[in-house]
Amino acid sequence: MTAPVLEVQGLTTHFFTRQGEMPAVRNVSFSLQAGEVLGLVGESGSGKSVTGFSILGLVDAPGRIVSGSVKLNGKELVGLPEPELRKRRGREIAMIFQDPIATLNPMLSIGDQMRMALFAHEKRSLKAANARCIELLGRVGITDPEAGLKAYPHEYSGGMRQRVAIAIALLHNPSVIIADEPTTALDVSIQAQILSEMQDLVRESGTALIWITHDLAVVASLAKRLAVMYRGEIIETGPTFDVLRNPEHEYTANLLAALPSNAEPGQLLAQGGTVPSPPSVQETAKPPKKEDFLKVSNANQVFSPKISLGEKIAGFVGTGNRRNSTHAVKDVTLRVARGETLGLVGESGSGKSTLGRLMAGILPPTSGQILLDDAPVMQAGKKATLRVQTVFQDPFASLNPRMKVGRAVSEGALAHGLIKPSDATDYVKSWFERVGLEPEWADRFPHQFSGGQRQRVAIARALAMQPDVLICDEPVASLDVSIQAQIINLFLELQKGLGLTMVFISHDLSVVRHLSDRVAVMYLGEIVEIGPAEEIYNLPVHDYTKRLLDAVPVIDLNC
């Protein structure tokens, strides 16, 4: 048997904080052969990303590798001086991060960034460098790669930016690539394309790949070997389908049970138990009348390009060069019944989030009507009702980082006279309990919470306005499977306990199926198919719906 390209033995990384020494990676060992794909799975905080950073020598203070060995092509990396490590990063071992917009420089063209990465390790002429960059952009599926060199990151979608990040990682044909959650926030069809491309690249180049993820279905479609991490340790490892068919550790079995695609209707199994729901809180918000409903009639949303002052001076306006408008929502008509959950699915750019904003009264429609109980959600360009609230994908971006979360939950209700100032503390406490948060946490700031806890705060803030309708825009997209299961369970309990009507927007078709009574499929701004969830999933009519369902990664244990 040939020597492994990567050999990790007893890797241990600790963080030295004011609260004491915190072990993040504990005695991790594994090896990787050329062309092999290892799936490294676990919840947020399990240590999988820190393991990747430790291998690359990218753990910053107060973190530090305290023991262990990492050998790349037989060369020890632990303890190497930083200049020596830098020579190997990118050339022999590379990393693909979760968020390419955060790792690509927005001020530089894609070509400039690729050439800089290439010139850091190789001496090439500009012509040869451009040829290599164009070759790799084409290889990862960038249409018109020559034009791609001149483009800037913001001009590409999330999936296209991730392709660029993959191309940069492949510039020097490294022996090992570490991919850290690279498809987490992508819709299913783009994710399927990238997974297929990565399989082809590994097979053609012989590069070994560590795929870090919380999505077991993705790992099942890509990796031949699986390692499960829990509290910094690898607790189970083996051939992927052996582990998935017969998990030896209870934690692994619970991760599988938390997947919506593996569950029957009802609550999912979540690590740490289900969300509490004290009955006393149900008296806070009165259940709305059953005859209420949300209705969208012939709604259109057109975004016209903004013309800068420089373009006006240059005579851009009125010429044939004017950029086209974007028709994000096209003549959409649908109705959501009281107490129903409507799932809204589609790829990135399909118009589903824009439609959600129209329903919530955040955007005025270019034409058409959005009615709640036959009253316009928006009148004269102003919000005319507080009865529709929204939970967004990223609660950290929607919560004020300088405001304590208790105040964030109560300020809307106070501003609109739903409660008295003297009742604010008890009001916040009741909603914190309702969403499974400790009441004393109300004095904390957003950065002091985990992603799942922040999403609970955002849900409490929305519900504190006592809405009739909750618009949920990708609220579990970036959460690991167990935290996702907890939030899904919370939504199910809230709908049952408060009689809420929900519109659940997501690219995760498994989650939508688990939550929704009916499903609407959007494509290029239009509703192309709508019906009961089971009919849509079992007997799809439209070709686009069929393609979406075919792209969903599933764990087929019969392989």
Side-chain angles (χ1 to χ4, degrees), residues 104-116:
L104 295 174
N105 190 327
M107 303 298 292
L108 297 177
S109 70
I110 287 166
D112 284 341
Q113 296 185 60
M114 293 188 73
R115 285 187 291 265
M116 287 174 64

Side-chain angles (χ1 to χ4, degrees), residues 271-343:
Q271 310 278 38
T274 57
V275 179
S277 53
S280 59
V281 185
Q282 295 182 14
E283 300 173 3
T284 304
K286 296 179 180 178
K289 297 178 181 179
K290 291 185 178 180
E291 61 268 20
D292 290 350
F293 60 89
L294 179 67
K295 184 166 66 175
V296 179
S297 300
N298 304 110
N300 287 273
Q301 183 62 47
V302 180
F303 293 108
S304 299
K306 294 181 179 179
I307 308 301
S308 69
L309 178 61
E311 289 171 328
K312 290 179 180 178
I313 294 172
F316 189 81
V317 178
T319 70
N321 295 323
R322 184 166 182 173
R323 288 166 288 178
N324 294 327
S325 297
T326 301
H327 205 151
V329 174
K330 301 178 183 178
D331 199 33
V332 167
T333 296
L334 59 84
R335 171 176 169 168
V336 188
R338 168 54 58 198
E340 179 185 34
T341 296
L342 175 72

Side-chain angles (χ1 to χ4, degrees), residues 188 191-192 195 215-219 221 261 510 548-555:
V188 288
Q191 175 180 264
L195 290 174
D215 193 329
L216 291 169
V218 167
V219 164
S221 68
S261 57
S510 297
L548 277 183
L549 291 170
D550 287 342
V552 176
V554 294
I555 299 177

Side-chain angles (χ1 to χ4, degrees), residues 395-417:
F396 195 76
S398 57
L399 292 171
N400 188 331
R402 298 186 177 184
M403 182 184 292
K404 291 181 178 179
V405 295
R407 182 184 167 195
V409 170
S410 65
E411 67 169 351
L414 286 168
H416 294 281

Side-chain angles (χ1 to χ4, degrees), residues 277-489:
S277 53
S280 59
V281 185
Q282 295 182 14
E283 300 173 3
T284 304
K286 296 179 180 178
K289 297 178 181 179
K290 291 185 178 180
E291 61 268 20
D292 290 350
F293 60 89
L294 179 67
K295 184 166 66 175
V296 179
S297 300
N298 304 110
N300 287 273
Q301 183 62 47
V302 180
F303 293 108
S304 299
K306 294 181 179 179
I307 308 301
S308 69
L309 178 61
E311 289 171 328
K312 290 179 180 178
I313 294 172
F316 189 81
V317 178
T319 70
N321 295 323
R322 184 166 182 173
R323 288 166 288 178
N324 294 327
S325 297
T326 301
H327 205 151
V329 174
K330 301 178 183 178
D331 199 33
V332 167
T333 296
L334 59 84
R335 171 176 169 168
V336 188
R338 168 54 58 198
E340 179 185 34
T341 296
L342 175 72
L344 193 58
V345 302
E347 296 173 287
S348 298
S350 63
K352 58 188 187 297
S353 290
T354 301
L355 180 57
R357 283 163 170 75
L358 295 178
M359 292 178 175
I362 296 172
L363 288 174
T366 304
S367 63
Q369 283 188 316
I370 293 90
L371 304 174
L372 182 63
D373 196 18
D374 295 325
V377 172
M378 297 189 74
Q379 293 175 344
K382 296 181 180 179
K383 293 175 184 175
T385 180
L386 302 173
R387 296 167 61 192
V388 184
Q389 293 293 309
T390 304
V391 179
F392 295 99
Q393 176 176 347
D394 184 358
F396 195 76
S398 57
L399 292 171
N400 188 331
R402 298 186 177 184
M403 182 184 292
K404 291 181 178 179
V405 295
R407 182 184 167 195
V409 170
S410 65
E411 67 169 351
L414 286 168
H416 294 281
L418 299 178
I419 58 171
K420 298 176 182 178
S422 59
D423 297 331
T425 300
D426 288 340
Y427 191 71
V428 170
K429 176 182 176 181
S430 69
W431 281 115
F432 267 45
E433 290 175 341
R434 190 68 175 94
V435 301
L437 294 171
E438 297 295 332
E440 59 267 23
W441 294 351
D443 286 331
R444 293 184 180 181
F445 290 92
H447 74 272
Q448 295 175 287
F449 292 89
S450 69
Q453 289 170 338
R454 279 196 295 267
Q455 195 60 285
R456 292 176 191 271
V457 173
I459 293 168
R461 182 179 62 173
L463 294 176
M465 298 301 293
Q466 302 180 21
D468 294 337
V469 179
L470 199 61
I471 309 291
C472 304
D473 190 2
E474 300 276 13
V476 297
S478 298
L479 304 179
D480 62 56
V481 288
S482 184
I483 302 301
Q484 173 182 274
Q486 294 173 19
I487 298 298
I488 291 171
N489 289 344

